[in-house]
Amino acid sequence: MKVLVLGGDGYLGWPTALHLSDCGHEVAVLDNGARRGYDDELGVTSLVPIRRLDERVTAWEEVSGAQLSIYHGDLLDAEYVSATLAEFRPDAVVHFAEQRSAPYSMLDRDHATYTQHNNVVGTLNLLYGIAETDPDIHLVKLGTLGEYGTPNIDIEEGWLTVEHNGRSDRVLFPKRPGSFYHLSKVHDSHNIEFACRAWDLRATDLNQGVVYGHHTAQTGRDERLATRFDYDAVFGTVLNRFIVQAVLGEPLTVYGSGGQTRGVIDIRDTVECVRLAVENPAERGEFRVFNQLTESFSVGELAKLVADIHPCTEITHLDNPRVEADQHHYNVVSTGLAELGLRPHLLADTLITSMFELVERHAGRVNRAALLPATQWRLPGR
Ligand SMILES: NC(=O)c1ccc[n+]([C@@H]2O[C@H](COP(=O)([O-])OP(=O)(O)OC[C@H]3O[C@@H](n4cnc5c(N)ncnc54)[C@H](O)[C@@H]3O)[C@@H](O)[C@H]2O)c1
């Protein structure tokens, strides 16, 4: 299949592009370089050095013998999006190209409006581009489990059958997310569902949990193929950040009581889930949702896991800068990807020790100040 990976220079987009290429698909990556720009803005860099996109692509072509095309461009440029679709003619578009940090979206008004404009308008441009170029193209969109929030009922796979006053309907699962970033994903989901209904498009929304890990079978083949590894309080995902804190001898910073429970997934399963979705497309007119997680842990459990592996690690509790429940029901239904054949890597079987080794190797690159939360969800003085 021909697959266009949007956000193909990012933490997940890059290894996904390699995985799809390795599985024999013809792959192109598109990115506007925004993620590297946020690093400059925040004064941090990926813990693991990463090459420029063109260098990575050359390295992959050398290592694998496969070809990978690059498109440098912005989803906010609607004409560019349509022209790219018309030129590459993909069977599937995998859409990772969004601002994906909740704390970044909560920094201030400018970051909130940037995030929603970038994500919602970029996705709308893409929907128009697909509808106008070839409505048969399958959109595989990265959503997030955070869209649901923490309702006091089980979280179904995107849809909920509701009975009300003696009548019944199947509706999109009601969502109550916890940041302007997560809200941008909710808006995307509604826009995509509408485009499937109105224009007969086909889409899969992958409501993904928090990703951990670094190596995949492809990125491990050459150090020039490494993907980014974020550890800071704005972009670092929680397990990656805890391991960095443990290696530096810093206390693990748990927000609030640490009872917040989240779905998680190994990066190797992320790339495989996307492959399964691409190779088993949604029907025309179908808005298909998969909850893309393999396990759930509370933040406190993750901290304890890291502290148990790395002796003398302290766990400290900070006042929670976020507005979120830290004791709540959390049961997420996730059957769609398993039915397509996903065989998960579980955290207990994961080589967490290899993540420690990776962090130890690059510990000199850590900006310690960036480990502590700088974003407050509440407005000043409230
Ligand atoms: N990392 C996680 O734990 C996680 C969890 C759930 C969902 N997701 C979702 O997966 C996707 C990828 O996440 P990631 O961690 O790889 O993020 P990332 O920031 O590393 O990658 C996103 C890429 O998209 C590019 N991009 C952003 N806006 C763009 C635009 N307007 N035009 C073109 N390119 C643009 C960025 O430059 C970046 O390279 C995101 O949509 C995110 O919401 C990630």
Side-chain angles (χ1 to χ4, degrees):
M1 295 169 80
K2 293 184 77 172
V3 188
L4 177 61
V5 178
L6 310 177
D9 190 38
Y11 171 49
L12 303 177
W14 173 244
T16 301
L18 299 191
H19 184 59
L20 293 170
S21 172
D22 212 21
C23 293
H25 299 298
E26 183 181 341
V27 178
V29 292
L30 181 151
D31 207 287
N32 69 349
R35 180 68 190 85
R36 294 176 191 246
Y38 312 144
D39 278 351
D40 296 340
E41 177 192 348
L42 299 170
V44 289
T45 51
S46 163
L47 182 77
V48 178
I50 51 168
R51 299 298 180 111
R52 288 198 326 253
L53 181 56
D54 57 327
E55 292 174 340
R56 293 170 144 185
V57 166
T58 306
W60 176 247
E61 291 181 343
E62 281 173 21
V63 166
S64 69
Q67 278 210 320
L68 202 59
S69 312
I70 307 181
Y71 290 95
H72 293 285
D74 197 324
L75 291 192
L76 294 182
D77 182 344
E79 286 180 14
Y80 174 79
V81 172
S82 294
T84 304
L85 292 170
E87 182 181 294
F88 186 65
R89 288 268 160 196
D91 299 297
V93 174
V94 182
H95 178 16
F96 289 98
E98 299 205 325
Q99 190 300 97
R100 69 102 170 127
S101 158
Y104 188 87
S105 76
M106 298 301 291
L107 280 172
D108 54 26
R109 181 182 60 199
D110 287 350
H111 288 82
T113 52
Y114 164 76
T115 299
Q116 293 218 348
H117 182 250
N118 185 64
N119 296 0
V120 177
V121 176
T123 299
L124 263 177
N125 287 341
L126 179 62
L127 290 169
Y128 268 92
I130 290 174
E132 288 162 4
T133 312
D134 178 2
D136 219 29
I137 294 171
H138 177 210
L139 171 61
V140 177
K141 163 71 168 49
L142 270 291
T144 155
L145 277 182
E147 289 182 41
Y148 298 110
T150 53
N152 199 31
I153 56 174
D154 291 353
I155 295 174
E156 299 297 327
E157 213 144 22
W159 294 88
L160 185 67
T161 301
V162 177
E163 287 187 21
H164 184 63
N165 290 348
R167 303 181 68 83
S168 169
D169 204 351
R170 181 174 178 258
V171 297
L172 286 178
F173 195 93
K175 295 183 172 169
R176 195 164 48 181
S179 76
F180 287 123
Y181 152 69
H182 290 103
L183 278 155
S184 75
K185 299 291 217 185
V186 174
H187 303 327
D188 284 342
S189 295
H190 283 98
N191 288 343
I192 298 168
E193 188 275 336
F194 174 69
C196 291
R197 208 162 14 106
W199 301 337
D200 210 23
L201 301 192
R202 56 170 98 223
T204 302
D205 203 2
L206 297 173
N207 283 338
Q208 178 171 245
V210 181
V211 183
Y212 61 87
H214 185 252
H215 277 341
T216 64
Q218 293 77 32
T219 62
R221 286 198 210 160
D222 187 308
E223 65 172 22
R224 293 173 296 166
L225 300 174
T227 194
R228 44 183 314 126
F229 186 100
D230 297 307
Y231 63 89
D232 60 285
V234 177
F235 274 93
T237 53
V238 63
L239 185 64
N240 294 0
R241 180 162 53 85
F242 282 161
I243 292 176
V244 169
Q245 289 176 317
V247 167
L248 294 183
E250 304 256 357
L252 312 188
T253 46
V254 171
Y255 302 164
S257 75
Q260 309 90 314
T261 302
R262 298 289 180 264
V264 299
I265 182 165
D266 186 305
I267 191 169
R268 293 169 293 182
D269 293 335
T270 290
V271 302
E272 181 61 0
C273 288
V274 173
R275 181 189 72 78
L276 290 167
V278 164
E279 292 180 0
N280 299 277
E283 301 294 329
R284 284 293 295 272
E286 184 188 8
F287 175 69
R288 182 175 67 168
V289 183
F290 292 141
N291 290 337
Q292 184 166 307
L293 74 160
T294 52
E295 295 173 276
S296 296
F297 292 95
S298 73
V299 174
E301 284 168 341
L302 289 176
K304 188 166 179 314
L305 186 98
V306 170
D308 286 348
I309 295 175
H310 208 265
C312 307
T313 302
E314 279 177 46
I315 298 176
T316 186
H317 292 263
L318 304 181
D319 286 344
N320 195 342
R322 303 182 178 216
V323 175
E324 63 185 3
D326 62 5
Q327 300 296 332
H328 56 86
H329 175 74
Y330 199 71
N331 183 35
V332 184
V333 174
S334 171
T335 52
L337 288 159
E339 282 165 11
L340 290 182
L342 179 68
R343 299 279 169 270
H345 295 85
L346 299 181
L347 195 48
D349 311 327
T350 291
L351 288 176
I352 283 202
T353 43
S354 74
M355 284 176 69
F356 274 97
E357 282 160 22
L358 179 86
V359 171
E360 274 157 12
R361 201 160 356 120
H362 299 288
R365 290 169 57 86
V366 175
N367 171 355
R368 286 176 187 250
L371 287 163
L372 291 176
T375 314
Q376 285 291 335
W377 259 232
R378 291 172 186 81
L379 291 172
R382 302 291 169 92

